[in-house]
Amino acid sequence: MWGNTASNGPQIYLSWSSITVSYSDVQGGWNGTGNINANPLFVNPTGGDYHLSSGSPCIDAGDPNFVPSPGETDIDGQPRVMDGNGDGVARVDMGADEFVRIDSGICGDLDEDGDVDYDDYVIILHAFGHSVGQPEYVAEADYDDDGAVSLIDYRTWFNCYRNFIGNPNAPVPTPPPPPPGGSPLPVPAPKPIPLIQPISPTAEISKSPVREPTQ
């Protein structure tokens, strides 16, 4: 439940009754088992595309005990339970869409849409500073496989982006223009990340602990 308006409150309104909410992404938070309060990272909500993008905290975050009925599917007719985050364990996603993991084979393409752009930049910014077990953690953005998305991973992604667009000195991506009548996309920055120098695509990435940038 994200980006909605209730009669009294942003997402859920109760006058006298009670409700049990569990394993749900509720903007502003809601008490209940497995609930989270994190941007679901829809593909294009301003354009009406509410599918989950790669890196969404809703992927594989639903009820771990959920067992679909025979033949049960999501809104697209795809199997209801799949291993969306690639950890080897199939678990239902939050919401009506089951994310389908597809490897585009392009370095830096975190949303696996065939390019490296602002959408991928948003994903690594959301994941930066988070580790395994936290809903914001994105395994695809953890390039050195140390269980946390750190400055080394950001450097690696930034280098992939610069290589993809063919400009070794390119700055960070900028948001695409909003659709007619729409609002500009916000630039999420949970932590300030310093600009970095390009690194060689063939450079070996150290797996030693890395101190994250301080604010």
Side-chain angles (χ1 to χ4, degrees):
M1 289 170 278
W2 200 271
N4 303 297
T5 302
S7 300
N8 183 9
Q11 306 300 317
I12 302 174
Y13 169 65
L14 297 174
S15 58
W16 54 270
S17 59
S18 62
I19 187 174
T20 299
V21 180
S22 60
Y23 296 102
S24 298
D25 188 4
V26 183
Q27 188 173 12
W30 192 271
N31 289 332
T33 303
N35 291 336
I36 62 174
N37 174 24
N39 190 322
L41 297 180
F42 295 126
V43 171
N44 182 17
T46 58
D49 188 347
Y50 294 98
H51 290 88
L52 302 178
S53 65
S54 176
S56 169
C58 299
I59 296 173
D60 282 17
D63 185 351
N65 298 315
F66 173 78
V67 177
S69 302
E72 184 174 352
T73 61
D74 71 353
I75 55 174
D76 298 317
Q78 296 163 336
R80 180 65 267 200
V81 179
M82 292 187 284
D83 179 15
N85 61 7
D87 65 354
V89 179
R91 178 174 170 178
V92 70
D93 296 346
M94 292 180 175
D97 176 43
E98 195 75 13
F99 177 76
V100 179
R101 180 183 174 86
I102 300 174
D103 187 359
S104 70
I106 299 175
C107 177
D109 183 15
L110 297 177
D111 60 3
E112 297 171 346
D113 64 350
D115 59 17
V116 185
D117 56 11
Y118 176 77
D119 293 332
D120 304 297
Y121 176 59
V122 169
I123 290 173
I124 198 164
L125 281 189
H126 274 291
F128 183 78
H130 296 286
S131 57
V132 173
Q134 296 180 301
E136 298 87 354
Y137 173 76
V138 178
E140 293 84 354
D142 184 9
Y143 290 100
D144 59 1
D145 295 322
D146 66 348
V149 181
S150 64
L151 186 58
I152 274 193
D153 303 304
Y154 179 77
R155 284 189 64 186
T156 302
W157 178 86
F158 205 1
N159 191 57
C160 292
Y161 166 69
R162 285 170 162 168
N163 287 339
F164 180 81
I165 65 175
N167 181 356
N169 298 307
V172 296
T174 57
S183 301
L185 294 175
V187 180
K191 293 184 179 181
I193 303 175
L195 290 177
I196 49 99
Q197 297 298 318
I199 59 177
S200 169
T202 59
E204 181 177 352
I205 300 174
S206 170
K207 292 183 179 293
S208 60
V210 177
R211 184 182 298 277
E212 296 181 356
T214 57
Q215 302 188 38

